[in-house]
Amino acid sequence: MNRLTLVLLLASALPALAYDSGIAVQSEKGTTMQVYVNGKLYNKQPGKFVRVRSTPGLFHLEVKVLNPWNKQWYIVRKDIRVDKGYEFQYRVVFVNRTRPELRKVNQYPVYSRYFLNPSLYNKHPVT
């Protein structure tokens, strides 16, 4: 029983030992978006899903999203706090087909420095 308790404690502490954190933003079906974190553009081509590796801290997240019903671009801003060892997932949701809203979906632990698959995360192409 003591070994089981020790294994459970170590498994729960793994996210805290991770080096990085992450932010993932997803849009609704049929919409495209561009994601800015602290004023830096992270995807030149508008897309439906963007992942960004980051360090822990406070971030100013800005999402420019195209409304599929009236074909207008909207900007959604939100200040988020990212903890060490977790990936925070957000979704852009249109309320009554008008203004978009950024909602937190979930947070998942990160178990390695490279997030298990580094090709999933956007590299910062803008200098």
Side-chain angles (χ1 to χ4, degrees):
M1 179 130 168
N2 289 336
R3 289 183 183 173
L4 178 64
T5 307
L6 182 62
V7 168
L8 289 175
L9 283 174
L10 286 175
S12 65
L14 280 176
L17 297 175
Y19 295 100
D20 292 326
S21 301
I23 302 167
V25 182
Q26 181 179 6
S27 64
E28 286 185 348
K29 185 177 180 180
T31 62
T32 57
M33 66 179 173
Q34 288 185 316
V35 177
Y36 297 85
V37 178
N38 290 341
K40 294 180 184 177
L41 177 64
Y42 273 86
N43 61 329
K44 284 185 178 179
Q45 297 292 89
K48 297 178 191 324
F49 190 79
V50 176
R51 278 186 164 139
V52 178
R53 289 177 69 172
S54 67
T55 56
L58 180 65
F59 294 95
H60 306 290
L61 185 64
E62 184 176 307
V63 179
K64 185 177 176 183
V65 63
L66 179 66
N67 189 329
W69 292 285
N70 61 9
K71 304 299 183 201
Q72 290 183 349
W73 286 94
Y74 289 94
I75 295 178
V76 182
R77 293 180 179 96
K78 188 168 189 170
D79 294 337
I80 58 171
R81 177 163 296 283
V82 177
D83 296 329
K84 182 177 181 181
Y86 289 96
E87 177 184 63
F88 292 82
Q89 291 194 345
Y90 291 88
R91 180 180 298 237
V92 177
V93 179
F94 286 93
V95 182
N96 297 329
R97 295 187 176 188
T98 55
R99 296 258 339 143
E101 201 175 273
L102 199 59
R103 293 185 183 167
K104 183 177 176 185
V105 176
N106 211 341
Q107 69 184 35
Y108 295 104
V110 176
Y111 292 110
S112 73
R113 185 162 194 248
Y114 298 103
F115 289 0
L116 303 176
N117 188 356
S119 66
L120 296 176
Y121 292 86
N122 292 33
K123 293 184 171 55
H124 195 290
V126 179
T127 56

